[in-house]
Amino acid sequence: MSHPQSTFDNTSFFGETILSRRRHLIASVTLHAQLEQLKQTGRYDCFKLKWHPIYDDKSMWPVPYHLFWDSDVAKWIESACYFLQREYDANIDLAVRELVDMIRGAQQSDGYINVHYTVVEPQKRWSNLRDMHELYNAGHLIEAALAHHKHYQNNHLLDPILKYVSLIHCRFGSCHDQLHAYPGHPEIEMALFRLHTVTKSHEAYELAQYFLQERGNASGQHEMHYFDWEAQQRKENRYTRPNTYPEKDSHWYCQAHKPILEQETIEGHSVRAVYLLTAVADMIQLHHKGDKALCNPDAWMEAVSRLWTNMVNKKMYVTGGIGAIKQWEGFGCDYFLPTGTNEGGCYAETCASIGVMMLAERLLSFDLDSRYSDIMELCLYNNVMNAMSLDGKQFTYVNQLASSDTDKSIRKDWFWCACCPPNLTRLFGSLGGYVWHVQESEAEVAINIHLYTTASLSYTTASLETVSLQQTSNWPWDGHVALELSSQSQSVTIRLRLPSWSHGQFKMAPIPASDDFSIDKGYLTLHPSYTNAYRTFSITIGGFEPRYISPHPYTAQNVLGIARGPIIYCMEDVDNSWQHNHFRDVTLKKSEPISEEAKSMTNGEGYTELRTKCWLTNEDISARTAGPILDTSIVSDRLEKSAVFIPYFLRANRGGNGEMRVLLRQGED
Amino acid sequence: MSHPQSTFDNTSFFGETILSRRRHLIASVTLHAQLEQLKQTGRYDCFKLKWHPIYDDKSMWPVPYHLFWDSDVAKWIESACYFLQREYDANIDLAVRELVDMIRGAQQSDGYINVHYTVVEPQKRWSNLRDMHELYNAGHLIEAALAHHKHYQNNHLLDPILKYVSLIHCRFGSCHDQLHAYPGHPEIEMALFRLHTVTKSHEAYELAQYFLQERGNASGQHEMHYFDWEAQQRKENRYTRPNTYPEKDSHWYCQAHKPILEQETIEGHSVRAVYLLTAVADMIQLHHKGDKALCNPDAWMEAVSRLWTNMVNKKMYVTGGIGAIKQWEGFGCDYFLPTGTNEGGCYAETCASIGVMMLAERLLSFDLDSRYSDIMELCLYNNVMNAMSLDGKQFTYVNQLASSDTDKSIRKDWFWCACCPPNLTRLFGSLGGYVWHVQESEAEVAINIHLYTTASLSYTTASLETVSLQQTSNWPWDGHVALELSSQSQSVTIRLRLPSWSHGQFKMAPIPASDDFSIDKGYLTLHPSYTNAYRTFSITIGGFEPRYISPHPYTAQNVLGIARGPIIYCMEDVDNSWQHNHFRDVTLKKSEPISEEAKSMTNGEGYTELRTKCWLTNEDISARTAGPILDTSIVSDRLEKSAVFIPYFLRANRGGNGEMRVLLRQGED
């Protein structure tokens, strides 16, 4: 099994690609900036188990401000270890060591580790699985321990965490004296599957599988839904509920309204949904690899496939964002995808798209299909990369597609619920594991390339032979990718993703003979007959002409956007100063040609700017309206304007008034 | 002061207009069918104060199923009295008398009348003003008493109700020992202003004014918001809330988030909002008539005008429906107007549009402007009339603009919360009061005609002279309206509404001289110089050509509908059997001509059918999509089809599969 968190260090990024630049920025700036935030806010010291003034703040119920601090620290440790693996940094190393010592010191004699339930409410452990993120925090501690173990090659953090997992394993399960529960916020499941993969811990596997199988059981605990039963134990009635639950019994909020196998559509909190499905995919992957046999694997695969399809076809923004609704940070009904918070909602949380990438990576490991990797790349270059400023110090939580006066296009230093910033850093830390998968069988090694960039892969086979592959490109601005393979006796198959937006246009050099290659589910397979003949070769993928895109017509939106390769573009007021009202009165026509211009950001990062014509409608349409009805026989004045588009992920880096829009009204040709 | 409930009997409808037919249907069928429902469900006998099995049902909290029974009975009595005023009906008369006796018998010694708080929870009176509709029920009892008093010319119901009002007046107010409260569901305010108008009850005026002025006070009761204070008294915490409150402190649900004068946008439950504003308009009207001086009348007028404008320009459907969100039966953000329950929401409750009509009528009485009467007519002929089947026995509560598999285009016999059906009957009972307003001054009588139909008005002046006016038309199918005025010495001004959709096109015969008429704010004023010269004359209003309409572009919907005069049209599967998927794949083009055909429903009611061309898109657009992104360079197959449209209010009367849509996707010309 090859989780990206384990395999990433087979990959070295180099050159000046966006990915390489971001990784360098995170290592040199972001990790330090986030460490400073941890220190300033009290998180850094929280495992000392002293009282912090914020613990007195009872203004939020049931989730207090500090509830996720454990996970914030854990995710930062995880990120730090990934980057330390590439390059030593004394300050980062020191902080990791200090934090690990503090976590060790915070462990209770029975193995328990949780700041809130040790310091603030020590009598209430495991009393609110639905809301209180106890197992979520435990999951992130497991992931931190695995990253720490991998980098430091010791068990200084892993040992206490294994003890904690044993405690959890005793507390949760199907036995009479165990809680028949599962976490309100999934996360620990995928952490446990990884823990099992690394340590072969049977407890870890059993616990993760139990959580997945028990979830949504309507009569799991004393003939009641577990979350109802525990609420009753807390003496809360069904109408007492957190703000995130719009109505009573909104168990769909955390995907617990019915068993996973019975869920037809993806619902609720979007991060929880994709974390949960990633764990399901892990469980299927373990089955496929012969590691742990799963009952009814087809049903699990059908469920994850059904929910993936529902998500990407009906509940995803063109930027790879998911989740329209702020209240539950999650999905609306099918095709409900307004693009601004003042237009009905647009959440598209950073963590959620990172979760989509995790899920896609898992699915690709046993179902190689570019429909997963296309979405993985879409998320990476758009909703996810949008989440960090070019100085590496500011972040997003919500990634709206259109700004408004109440929600301008900005980024922030930090959040009270700080899940997204360290999630971004740990993703980039383990990014090498997303670029390609190596599959080794007795006969051969296959390298499936999902993401194009400039990077080299070095893989050691079971017979201790090294296979290396280098790709060099100016992706995502250009479709030419030069490849250089090196292996001794090993037979190597290479599969190259053909993005759907390339419409199958590609050129290989040297040109393969007809039996040297095949194409299946969006991947071009180069057989060993080719890779043995040519150690250096290149592919040039088409589809880099700017193109007009739109969301599905069932969204009932009549809007156009512009994409180029995997990059989704937007308009910003800093380039289009003639506009007002957040581009709400601007129309595009899909017959208008789009021109390109090479540009650089102030930090020297190159990008392709796009230009076309657009029209500014006279916004005073009072003459055309009678209350709710617009008379279509009267046509508003429209002024032709020059429109400048930049990549969405680069927005809000050059000043301006914070006005931005991805999808603009479509005018008639 | 001239509430429609008082003035309606100056008007006689005759002929075969839609309005006349509906009134006849309600008198002969609907009132009887609703009476049967009252009897079958237990409502008829509820004032006997015996236990009914449904009172044991605790499945709904806090509002039990029977909570509104008082008001259902009261609204039926009110409707019955309006129709009895025109024509005697022994069964209806008997039922009114029985019900009134039962209500009298239900009154407690202190004057209190409420079924739930007498039978089910006698110790909890006035303990939950926010949710429990105690004052709402009282308001409808007041309205029933006024209608009963008018028709029966006795105080058999009015006397006990006045005693109840005195009790309420003692309980609520600004004194130290009074509750500083107001109803969660406004209604009693407008009932009290009417009671004041009829009886000159100072208590009634004072109480209504108090409710309006106190509403939304953040520190009204012991330095707390009243609804927070009473929840604390009930020992509920802020997170314990009815399903209708999406988040804690959602006081905007019942327009109590801030004082009315400070509210910038119309929010929350739509029926509550328009009932509340109608009462505000009543209060302003009383000030203008010199009846009760109001402090700061301009501020109240600005508030009601601001909220009206926000509602009709940004939160109203093209059918006159308001309220997109099911959970709180009310408004979303500006321009949030999805047209189906599977597209993000579409509520458009019948009662809410009836409330808009009430509000418009009040505003017209002191601010004659066709922007109010255009909306009043839009609501009447579309969202409101849609709410009853042609057999007079089935009703709607929700009036969506597009059906779906989970919400087909149907009507129902009754509802557990049965507010809408008797609201429709009492509206039609008092409809004469909406057709025109008579304003008498020393110098003259002015008749402002808001609605065209076939009806006669008979008005007796202060000097006991009779002024009568008859209008004859085939409205809403045809713009020709013949008028015949009769008065002796009285000088009469007539003002005729010029609907905005007529774009000022009208012809008078005989043609008035330039100083015989003037036009202001959408009304054509015929001065006495004209009405003295011509006792019979006619106006022919233009704009009856079918026209394409659309909602505001900020709704981000690219849709077209068809209207003709005041009538909004729809497509139904019964006429367009080639369609599937609830017309979601059908596009219109606004360049296509629309033809007309005269048709009749099976009951003989004539209407104008409209026909044009439309296009059915191949719904399999998988070739065009990659997850969330649609490639606009590939154009779907489109099949040209003949499209048949019928008036929206006639939908679901001819069988079919319950598929219907008002607004269809706009194709490119």
Side-chain angles (χ1 to χ4, degrees):
Chain A
M1 184 130 146
S2 53
H3 289 105
Q5 298 99 324
S6 301
T7 63
F8 70 89
D9 60 343
N10 292 338
T11 299
S12 300
F13 292 87
F14 60 95
E16 287 291 310
T17 64
I18 298 177
L19 301 186
S20 180
R21 292 180 71 100
R22 288 297 172 289
R23 281 177 47 86
H24 178 72
L25 180 69
I26 289 169
S28 59
V29 176
T30 310
L31 279 179
H32 296 268
Q34 292 187 355
L35 177 59
E36 188 56 32
Q37 289 289 348
L38 293 182
K39 289 183 174 176
Q40 282 177 12
T41 58
R43 286 164 169 85
Y44 191 81
D45 293 319
C46 71
F47 283 106
K48 286 179 179 166
L49 304 182
K50 292 184 181 155
W51 195 266
H52 187 283
I54 207 171
Y55 301 169
D56 290 315
D57 190 327
K58 311 288 187 204
S59 62
M60 296 222 314
W61 177 89
V63 173
Y65 286 99
H66 61 277
L67 195 71
F68 324 111
W69 282 13
D70 310 46
S71 72
D72 298 335
V73 168
K75 282 155 85 176
W76 186 87
I77 292 173
E78 188 188 343
S79 314
C81 291
Y82 296 154
F83 282 99
L84 286 172
Q85 188 94 1
R86 301 306 303 178
E87 191 171 4
Y88 179 71
D89 181 316
N91 286 339
I92 300 297
D93 175 66
L94 175 67
V96 171
R97 290 173 190 270
E98 280 188 352
L99 286 167
V100 167
D101 284 343
M102 287 190 274
I103 293 171
R104 286 172 59 92
Q107 186 162 39
Q108 303 299 293
S109 57
D110 61 354
Y112 188 77
I113 310 176
N114 182 288
V115 172
H116 177 81
Y117 284 112
T118 305
V119 179
V120 184
E121 295 193 294
Q123 307 310 319
K124 295 194 177 173
R125 278 189 199 176
W126 316 127
S127 64
N128 188 346
L129 274 296
R130 187 186 72 187
D131 303 318
M132 293 300 277
H133 292 68
E134 214 166 350
L135 292 171
Y136 170 88
N137 281 327
H140 277 300
L141 284 173
I142 294 168
E143 301 220 55
L146 289 170
H148 181 272
H149 171 75
K150 179 174 170 64
H151 174 58
Y152 287 94
Q153 296 284 309
N154 67 39
N155 293 341
H156 204 54
L157 184 55
L158 190 59
D159 276 346
I161 295 304
L162 283 168
K163 184 176 177 185
Y164 187 18
V165 168
S166 288
L167 176 75
I168 298 170
H169 180 260
C170 287
R171 197 72 198 90
F172 297 92
S174 58
C175 294
H176 179 69
D177 59 347
Q178 291 179 302
L179 292 175
H180 305 172
Y182 38 86
H185 196 316
E187 203 291 330
I188 193 171
E189 298 87 341
M190 50 180 174
L192 289 167
F193 284 129
R194 276 222 298 133
L195 183 65
H196 161 77
T197 305
V198 173
T199 67
K200 300 298 163 204
S201 159
H202 179 66
E203 282 180 351
Y205 180 85
E206 193 174 66
L207 191 54
Q209 190 186 50
Y210 179 76
F211 286 150
L212 295 182
Q213 290 179 335
E214 183 62 18
R215 192 172 202 89
N217 185 343
S219 55
Q221 187 83 28
H222 297 102
E223 297 303 311
M224 294 175 73
H225 190 289
Y226 184 81
F227 292 159
D228 291 335
W229 176 82
E230 64 163 17
Q232 198 178 69
Q233 300 304 110
R234 296 192 304 269
K235 304 196 190 318
E236 289 167 15
N237 77 37
R238 294 168 81 185
Y239 291 90
T240 304
R241 59 194 192 277
N243 261 347
T244 46
Y245 274 53
E247 297 186 313
K248 76 178 169 77
D249 305 331
S250 296
H251 295 316
W252 50 262
Y253 167 65
C254 40
Q255 300 82 44
H257 52 305
K258 51 175 87 170
I260 296 168
L261 290 178
E262 297 172 20
Q263 295 180 17
E264 293 293 328
T265 51
I266 195 161
E267 301 295 340
H269 188 278
S270 55
V271 178
R272 297 175 197 226
V274 287
Y275 280 17
L276 182 66
L277 294 181
T278 300
V280 172
D282 271 337
M283 187 169 66
I284 297 167
Q285 186 180 182
L286 283 165
H287 173 84
H288 281 303
K289 304 242 165 172
D291 197 338
K292 285 280 182 183
L294 178 65
C295 287
N296 212 356
D298 291 348
W300 286 98
M301 187 59 207
E302 280 162 26
V304 75
S305 179
R306 177 170 71 234
L307 297 171
W308 168 274
T309 303
N310 178 240
M311 175 177 74
V312 301
N313 287 355
K314 301 184 180 178
K315 298 190 174 187
M316 183 176 270
Y317 288 99
V318 296
T319 52
I322 52 173
I325 311 286
K326 180 178 183 179
Q327 183 178 7
W328 55 86
E329 303 187 310
F331 301 104
C333 62
D334 285 353
Y335 301 111
F336 184 77
L337 294 163
T339 63
T341 54
N342 67 331
E343 294 168 26
C346 182
Y347 209 72
E349 185 179 336
T350 303
C351 285
S353 290
I354 291 173
V356 173
M357 291 183 62
M358 292 177 184
L359 175 56
E361 187 278 332
R362 302 300 193 278
L363 293 167
L364 285 165
S365 73
F366 56 86
D367 182 16
L368 187 70
D369 190 326
S370 69
R371 70 196 179 105
Y372 304 126
S373 33
D374 280 358
I375 295 295
M376 188 168 82
E377 184 178 65
L378 179 73
C379 290
L380 173 62
Y381 281 109
N382 300 287
N383 204 65
V384 173
M385 214 162 329
N386 176 60
M388 189 169 74
S389 59
L390 274 190
D391 67 3
K393 294 177 179 174
Q394 290 200 310
F395 311 95
T396 66
Y397 192 113
V398 171
N399 297 283
Q400 58 185 350
L401 279 71
S403 61
S404 58
D405 283 348
T406 47
D407 263 319
K408 290 204 172 185
S409 172
I410 55 170
R411 293 186 187 84
K412 291 186 178 173
D413 294 342
W414 198 244
F415 307 93
W416 74 264
C417 172
C419 50
C420 299
N423 221 355
L424 193 77
T425 52
R426 71 188 187 124
L427 172 79
F428 271 92
S430 59
L431 193 64
Y434 292 82
V435 172
W436 30 34
H437 280 149
V438 183
Q439 292 173 329
E440 184 177 358
S441 65
E442 283 185 25
E444 61 160 31
V445 163
I447 302 171
N448 304 334
I449 307 184
H450 309 307
L451 298 176
Y452 299 109
T453 185
T454 294
S456 61
L457 172 75
S458 177
Y459 178 80
T460 306
T461 67
S463 56
L464 301 181
E465 187 179 326
T466 297
V467 176
S468 59
L469 179 66
Q470 180 171 305
Q471 57 165 314
T472 312
S473 78
N474 189 29
W475 200 275
W477 310 116
D478 184 293
H480 182 77
V481 185
L483 293 136
E484 187 173 349
L485 175 67
S486 160
S487 77
Q488 291 159 299
S489 61
Q490 185 67 53
S491 180
V492 179
T493 296
I494 292 180
R495 300 195 183 89
L496 297 157
R497 178 171 70 100
L498 302 174
S500 67
W501 43 261
S502 69
H503 294 301
Q505 299 167 58
F506 71 93
K507 283 187 202 148
M508 289 291 306
I511 297 173
S514 63
D515 54 357
D516 281 347
F517 77 100
S518 55
I519 296 177
D520 189 31
K521 296 203 289 188
Y523 278 81
L524 167 70
T525 298
L526 298 173
H527 301 305
S529 58
Y530 184 86
T531 61
N532 285 335
Y534 308 107
R535 304 311 254 181
T536 61
F537 47 90
S538 71
I539 185 167
T540 303
I541 289 170
F544 280 82
E545 309 76 30
R547 63 191 191 279
Y548 288 104
I549 58 168
S550 72
H552 193 284
Y554 289 176
T555 62
Q557 294 177 55
N558 181 38
V559 285
L560 284 178
I562 299 182
R564 183 180 181 283
I567 304 295
I568 308 299
Y569 279 71
C570 71
M571 292 180 84
E572 278 202 302
D573 65 283
V574 70
D575 298 310
N576 302 281
S577 58
W578 44 265
Q579 79 83 40
H580 46 69
N581 201 17
H582 301 269
F583 296 92
R584 218 169 176 178
D585 302 304
V586 175
T587 58
L588 296 179
K589 294 183 186 177
K590 69 180 185 191
S591 58
E592 279 302 320
I594 305 167
S595 64
E596 303 188 356
E597 187 158 339
K599 287 269 188 174
S600 294
M601 299 297 286
T602 49
N603 67 347
E605 180 166 313
Y607 68 97
T608 303
E609 182 186 275
L610 300 179
R611 296 181 177 204
T612 186
K613 269 191 243 167
C614 67
W615 285 262
L616 180 65
T617 310
N618 178 354
E619 70 168 356
D620 177 12
I621 58 165
S622 54
R624 304 171 63 202
T625 54
I629 297 178
L630 190 134
D631 184 336
T632 63
S633 66
I634 304 172
V635 177
S636 291
D637 296 340
R638 292 187 175 186
L639 292 174
E640 187 182 304
K641 295 283 181 185
S642 296
V644 175
F645 284 77
I646 67 157
Y648 174 62
F649 75 84
L650 289 177
R651 57 147 204 105
N653 277 305
R654 302 169 299 158
N657 190 34
E659 307 203 21
M660 180 277 304
R661 188 169 292 261
V662 172
L663 298 172
L664 297 114
R665 273 156 49 196
Q666 181 169 191
E668 288 175 40
D669 283 319
Chain B
M1 185 130 142
S2 53
H3 289 106
Q5 298 99 324
S6 300
T7 63
F8 70 87
D9 61 342
N10 291 339
T11 299
S12 300
F13 292 89
F14 59 95
E16 288 290 311
T17 64
I18 299 177
L19 301 186
S20 180
R21 292 180 70 101
R22 288 297 172 290
R23 282 177 47 85
H24 179 72
L25 180 70
I26 289 169
S28 59
V29 176
T30 310
L31 280 178
H32 296 267
Q34 292 187 355
L35 178 60
E36 188 56 31
Q37 289 288 349
L38 294 182
K39 289 182 173 174
Q40 283 177 11
T41 56
R43 285 165 170 85
Y44 191 80
D45 294 318
C46 72
F47 284 104
K48 287 179 178 165
L49 304 182
K50 292 183 180 155
W51 195 265
H52 187 283
I54 207 170
Y55 301 169
D56 291 314
D57 190 327
K58 311 288 186 204
S59 62
M60 295 222 313
W61 177 88
V63 172
Y65 286 100
H66 61 276
L67 195 72
F68 324 111
W69 283 12
D70 310 46
S71 71
D72 297 336
V73 168
K75 281 154 84 176
W76 187 87
I77 292 173
E78 188 187 342
S79 314
C81 290
Y82 295 153
F83 281 99
L84 286 171
Q85 189 95 358
R86 303 304 305 178
E87 191 170 4
Y88 179 72
D89 181 317
N91 286 338
I92 300 297
D93 175 64
L94 176 67
V96 172
R97 290 173 190 271
E98 282 188 353
L99 287 168
V100 167
D101 284 343
M102 289 190 275
I103 293 170
R104 286 171 58 92
Q107 186 163 39
Q108 303 298 293
S109 57
D110 62 354
Y112 188 76
I113 310 176
N114 182 288
V115 171
H116 177 80
Y117 284 112
T118 306
V119 179
V120 184
E121 295 194 292
Q123 307 309 318
K124 295 194 177 172
R125 280 188 197 176
W126 316 128
S127 64
N128 187 346
L129 275 294
R130 186 188 72 185
D131 303 318
M132 293 299 277
H133 291 70
E134 215 166 351
L135 292 170
Y136 170 88
N137 281 327
H140 277 300
L141 285 172
I142 295 168
E143 301 221 55
L146 290 170
H148 181 272
H149 171 76
K150 178 174 171 66
H151 173 57
Y152 288 94
Q153 296 284 309
N154 67 37
N155 293 340
H156 205 54
L157 184 54
L158 189 59
D159 276 347
I161 295 304
L162 283 168
K163 185 176 176 185
Y164 187 19
V165 168
S166 288
L167 176 74
I168 298 170
H169 180 261
C170 288
R171 196 73 197 91
F172 298 92
S174 57
C175 294
H176 179 69
D177 58 347
Q178 290 179 302
L179 293 175
H180 306 172
Y182 39 86
H185 196 315
E187 204 289 334
I188 195 172
E189 298 88 341
M190 51 181 174
L192 288 167
F193 284 128
R194 274 220 300 132
L195 183 64
H196 162 77
T197 305
V198 174
T199 67
K200 300 297 164 207
S201 160
H202 179 66
E203 282 180 352
Y205 180 85
E206 193 174 67
L207 191 53
Q209 190 187 50
Y210 179 76
F211 286 151
L212 295 182
Q213 291 179 335
E214 183 62 18
R215 192 172 203 89
N217 185 342
S219 54
Q221 188 82 31
H222 298 101
E223 297 302 311
M224 294 175 73
H225 191 289
Y226 184 82
F227 292 159
D228 292 334
W229 176 82
E230 64 164 16
Q232 199 178 69
Q233 301 303 110
R234 296 192 303 270
K235 305 196 191 315
E236 289 167 15
N237 77 37
R238 294 168 82 185
Y239 291 91
T240 304
R241 59 194 194 274
N243 261 347
T244 45
Y245 274 54
E247 297 186 312
K248 77 180 168 78
D249 305 331
S250 297
H251 294 316
W252 49 263
Y253 167 66
C254 40
Q255 299 81 44
H257 51 307
K258 51 175 88 169
I260 297 169
L261 290 178
E262 297 172 19
Q263 294 179 18
E264 292 293 330
T265 52
I266 196 161
E267 301 296 340
H269 187 279
S270 55
V271 178
R272 296 175 198 227
V274 287
Y275 280 16
L276 181 67
L277 294 181
T278 301
V280 173
D282 271 336
M283 187 167 68
I284 298 168
Q285 188 180 181
L286 282 164
H287 173 83
H288 282 303
K289 304 244 166 173
D291 198 337
K292 285 280 182 184
L294 177 65
C295 288
N296 213 356
D298 292 347
W300 286 98
M301 186 59 208
E302 279 162 25
V304 75
S305 178
R306 177 170 70 233
L307 297 171
W308 167 275
T309 302
N310 178 240
M311 174 178 73
V312 302
N313 287 356
K314 302 184 181 177
K315 299 191 175 187
M316 182 176 271
Y317 288 100
V318 296
T319 53
I322 52 173
I325 312 286
K326 181 178 182 179
Q327 183 179 7
W328 56 85
E329 303 187 310
F331 302 103
C333 62
D334 285 352
Y335 302 110
F336 184 76
L337 294 164
T339 65
T341 54
N342 68 332
E343 296 169 25
C346 182
Y347 209 73
E349 185 179 338
T350 304
C351 285
S353 290
I354 291 173
V356 173
M357 291 182 63
M358 291 177 184
L359 173 57
E361 187 277 333
R362 300 299 193 279
L363 293 167
L364 285 166
S365 72
F366 56 85
D367 182 16
L368 187 71
D369 189 325
S370 68
R371 70 195 180 107
Y372 304 125
S373 34
D374 281 357
I375 295 295
M376 188 168 83
E377 184 177 65
L378 179 74
C379 291
L380 174 63
Y381 281 110
N382 300 288
N383 204 66
V384 173
M385 215 165 324
N386 176 59
M388 189 169 73
S389 60
L390 274 189
D391 68 3
K393 294 177 179 174
Q394 291 200 311
F395 312 95
T396 65
Y397 192 113
V398 171
N399 297 283
Q400 58 185 351
L401 279 71
S403 61
S404 58
D405 282 349
T406 46
D407 263 319
K408 290 203 170 184
S409 172
I410 54 171
R411 294 186 187 84
K412 291 187 178 173
D413 294 342
W414 197 244
F415 307 93
W416 75 263
C417 172
C419 50
C420 299
N423 220 356
L424 195 75
T425 53
R426 69 187 189 126
L427 172 78
F428 270 92
S430 59
L431 192 64
Y434 293 82
V435 173
W436 30 34
H437 281 149
V438 183
Q439 292 174 328
E440 184 178 356
S441 65
E442 282 185 27
E444 62 159 30
V445 162
I447 303 172
N448 305 334
I449 308 184
H450 309 307
L451 298 177
Y452 299 108
T453 185
T454 294
S456 62
L457 172 75
S458 177
Y459 177 80
T460 305
T461 67
S463 56
L464 301 182
E465 187 180 325
T466 297
V467 175
S468 60
L469 180 64
Q470 180 171 304
Q471 57 164 314
T472 311
S473 78
N474 187 30
W475 200 275
W477 310 116
D478 184 293
H480 183 78
V481 184
L483 293 137
E484 187 173 348
L485 175 67
S486 161
S487 76
Q488 291 161 297
S489 62
Q490 185 68 54
S491 181
V492 179
T493 294
I494 292 179
R495 299 194 184 90
L496 298 156
R497 178 173 69 100
L498 302 175
S500 67
W501 42 261
S502 69
H503 293 302
Q505 299 167 58
F506 70 93
K507 283 186 203 150
M508 288 291 307
I511 297 172
S514 63
D515 54 357
D516 281 347
F517 77 100
S518 56
I519 296 176
D520 189 32
K521 295 203 289 188
Y523 279 80
L524 166 69
T525 299
L526 298 174
H527 302 303
S529 57
Y530 184 85
T531 62
N532 285 335
Y534 308 107
R535 303 312 254 183
T536 62
F537 47 90
S538 71
I539 184 167
T540 303
I541 290 170
F544 281 81
E545 309 77 28
R547 65 191 190 277
Y548 288 104
I549 59 167
S550 71
H552 194 285
Y554 289 176
T555 63
Q557 295 176 55
N558 180 39
V559 285
L560 284 179
I562 299 181
R564 182 181 181 282
I567 304 296
I568 308 299
Y569 279 70
C570 71
M571 291 180 84
E572 277 201 303
D573 64 283
V574 70
D575 299 310
N576 303 283
S577 58
W578 45 265
Q579 80 81 40
H580 46 70
N581 201 17
H582 300 271
F583 296 93
R584 216 169 178 179
D585 302 305
V586 176
T587 57
L588 297 179
K589 294 183 185 177
K590 70 181 186 189
S591 57
E592 280 302 319
I594 306 166
S595 65
E596 303 189 357
E597 188 158 337
K599 288 270 189 173
S600 294
M601 299 297 285
T602 51
N603 69 347
E605 181 166 313
Y607 68 97
T608 302
E609 182 185 276
L610 301 179
R611 295 180 178 206
T612 187
K613 270 191 243 166
C614 67
W615 284 263
L616 180 64
T617 311
N618 178 355
E619 70 169 356
D620 177 12
I621 58 164
S622 52
R624 304 172 61 203
T625 54
I629 297 178
L630 191 135
D631 184 336
T632 63
S633 67
I634 305 171
V635 177
S636 291
D637 295 340
R638 292 188 175 185
L639 292 173
E640 187 181 305
K641 296 283 181 185
S642 295
V644 176
F645 284 77
I646 67 157
Y648 173 62
F649 74 85
L650 289 176
R651 59 148 203 105
N653 277 304
R654 301 169 300 158
N657 190 34
E659 306 203 22
M660 180 278 303
R661 190 169 290 261
V662 172
L663 297 172
L664 297 114
R665 271 156 49 196
Q666 181 168 193
E668 286 175 42
D669 283 318

